[in-house]
Amino acid sequence: YHAVRDSGAGGIDIEQVTMTLHEALDEPAFVRAWAEVIARHTILRTTFRWEGIEQPQQQVAEHAELPVTSVDWRELDLTAGQQRLAQQAHSERHLGFDLTKAPAMRLFIARTGPQAYAVLWTFHHALLDGRSFPVVLSEVFAIYEASLLAQVAQLPEARPFREFIDRQQALDL
């Protein structure tokens, strides 16, 4: 509702998670882990339609590729790196999302040292809330860690978002 009502007002319902990793990062494996989680969860491939139709709809794309930006900031000192990350977070937040395209999330990876990375995950609140984004992160890291060991992560079956929609529609409001 807010994103549609206030279109053009950057930052509306935009959520961000910043992570500092103090280890070598296999970026291709990390990005593949994100892709696998997106494939597991239909909500992460969901688009929204509201124009020219009677009732707003959510539609699930068969595939959605996560936009990833990767930069090398090793030449920056700690203070300059923190300032640059804050600027990047501000820019990402105000860039917003086109909710008619999936996924409504982006990943920004900055290498800050020989074995140090800053990761900024920006997503629209229409996809995830405070209870659900930790699930996504835990799955990403489980898949990533398993891939580093040439294993397959043992994750519980992903519950379809459709179940949540059905429960909500069945409520007597």
Side-chain angles (χ1 to χ4, degrees):
Y1 167 77
H2 295 109
V4 174
R5 182 193 70 191
D6 301 326
S7 65
I12 301 295
D13 288 332
I14 304 300
E15 305 292 334
Q16 293 182 306
V17 174
T18 304
M19 299 165 268
T20 303
L21 307 177
H22 297 286
E23 60 186 64
L25 181 69
D26 181 336
E27 286 188 50
F30 190 60
V31 172
R32 280 193 305 274
W34 281 94
E36 193 170 324
V37 170
I38 290 170
R40 282 176 50 79
H41 297 284
T42 56
I43 189 60
L44 301 179
R45 293 179 278 115
T46 295
T47 62
F48 300 86
R49 289 188 50 221
W50 59 89
E51 292 181 342
I53 56 178
E54 187 174 313
Q55 196 168 5
Q57 295 179 352
Q58 291 179 242
Q59 297 177 328
V60 177
E62 191 170 319
H63 175 75
E65 189 168 333
L66 179 64
V68 178
T69 301
S70 180
V71 297
D72 189 336
W73 287 349
R74 285 180 284 181
E75 80 283 355
L76 300 177
D77 64 32
L78 179 62
T79 302
Q82 290 172 336
Q83 289 172 342
R84 181 96 47 102
L85 186 60
Q87 291 168 346
Q88 184 67 36
H90 179 81
S91 296
E92 292 282 339
R93 196 170 33 257
H94 288 278
L95 182 58
F97 292 97
D98 177 353
L99 295 177
T100 66
K101 296 184 174 114
M105 56 190 224
R106 292 183 292 275
L107 196 62
F108 180 86
I109 304 169
R111 186 168 187 182
T112 57
Q115 292 196 4
Y117 291 81
V119 178
L120 175 65
W121 175 36
T122 304
F123 58 92
H124 199 282
H125 186 63
L127 302 184
L128 302 165
D129 62 12
R131 288 186 170 162
S132 53
F133 85 78
V135 173
V136 171
L137 285 177
S138 67
E139 288 187 9
V140 166
F141 282 99
I143 293 168
Y144 174 68
E145 297 283 330
S147 73
L148 295 180
L149 299 170
Q151 298 174 353
V152 175
Q154 300 301 310
L155 299 173
E157 186 175 333
R159 296 191 58 190
F161 187 66
R162 178 81 230 165
E163 287 180 12
F164 173 76
I165 297 296
D166 290 342
R167 255 192 333 270
Q168 293 299 307
Q169 289 178 337
L171 293 175
D172 181 9
L173 300 175

